[in-house]
Amino acid sequence: MPILTAGTTAPEFSLHVTPDQKLSLNELRGKPVVLVFYPADWSPVCGDELSVFNEILPELLKYKAALVAISVDGAWCHDAFAKHKHLHFPLLSDFEPKGVTARAYGAYREADGVCERALFVIDGNGVIAWSYCSPVAVSPGADGILQALEALPK
């Protein structure tokens, strides 16, 4: 299944940020959301990709956008990875039932049991404004995200 495209209502989710706290898409309603699906904590490409997004956080804040990343790793793994990489945005755990949110967005690699490397910009009304699926071994960078945020109605 291909990833969801622009004009599609973004599927709701509520996923663990920590072992005892969840974050839902609905909580972010009213502002743009940059949703990043990535295969796994601790992989070299994922670490580089998330570090790039960490670096552009000030740019995202100019658009009042929230940045959220999702993989099938557990909350404890995310916690250690975020601390190690000094990440300043939430990593959500699509761990159990495994990949249910990634599947809803068409961003689950069934054969590998991990998320695709997929990006979504969701507008303040919960509608996907832009999406992109990168080859799993290639970091997509941030240009597409910034262009999509710039194109959102003011």
Side-chain angles (χ1 to χ4, degrees), residues 66-151:
L67 173 63
V68 177
I70 299 175
S71 81
V72 296
D73 294 299
W76 292 114
C77 187
H78 281 336
D79 183 58
F81 181 67
K83 285 177 181 169
H84 178 76
K85 290 299 227 176
H86 307 288
L87 301 177
H88 301 290
F89 55 89
L91 303 180
L92 305 185
S93 177
D94 196 8
F95 184 70
E96 191 59 44
K98 188 175 183 182
V100 71
T101 299
R103 284 182 177 92
Y105 281 81
Y108 188 72
R109 297 175 64 86
E110 199 71 47
D112 300 323
V114 298
C115 296
E116 291 281 5
R117 192 172 307 286
L119 306 173
F120 297 86
V121 172
I122 301 167
D123 70 17
N125 297 315
V127 176
I128 296 170
W130 176 84
S131 63
Y132 176 73
C133 188
S134 178
V136 75
V138 178
S139 177
D143 291 345
I145 290 169
L146 295 172
Q147 290 169 0
L149 289 170
E150 184 64 33

Side-chain angles (χ1 to χ4, degrees), residues 12-13 16 45-46 69 144 150:
E12 176 59 34
F13 58 79
H16 283 277
V45 176
C46 294
E150 184 64 33

Side-chain angles (χ1 to χ4, degrees), residues 18-91:
T18 68
D20 61 346
Q21 293 178 314
K22 288 187 171 187
L23 178 67
S24 71
L25 181 60
N26 194 47
E27 291 175 65
L28 303 172
R29 197 69 42 136
K31 60 182 160 186
V33 175
V34 176
L35 186 58
V36 176
F37 286 93
Y38 66 101
D41 294 340
W42 307 106
S43 75
V45 176
C46 294
D48 292 347
E49 176 186 18
L50 296 181
S51 292
V52 166
F53 296 142
N54 204 46
E55 290 296 317
I56 66 157
L57 275 174
E59 286 295 311
L60 299 181
L61 293 177
K62 291 178 185 175
Y63 298 99
K64 297 181 174 54
L67 173 63
V68 177
I70 299 175
S71 81
V72 296
D73 294 299
W76 292 114
C77 187
H78 281 336
D79 183 58
F81 181 67
K83 285 177 181 169
H84 178 76
K85 290 299 227 176
H86 307 288
L87 301 177
H88 301 290
F89 55 89
L91 303 180

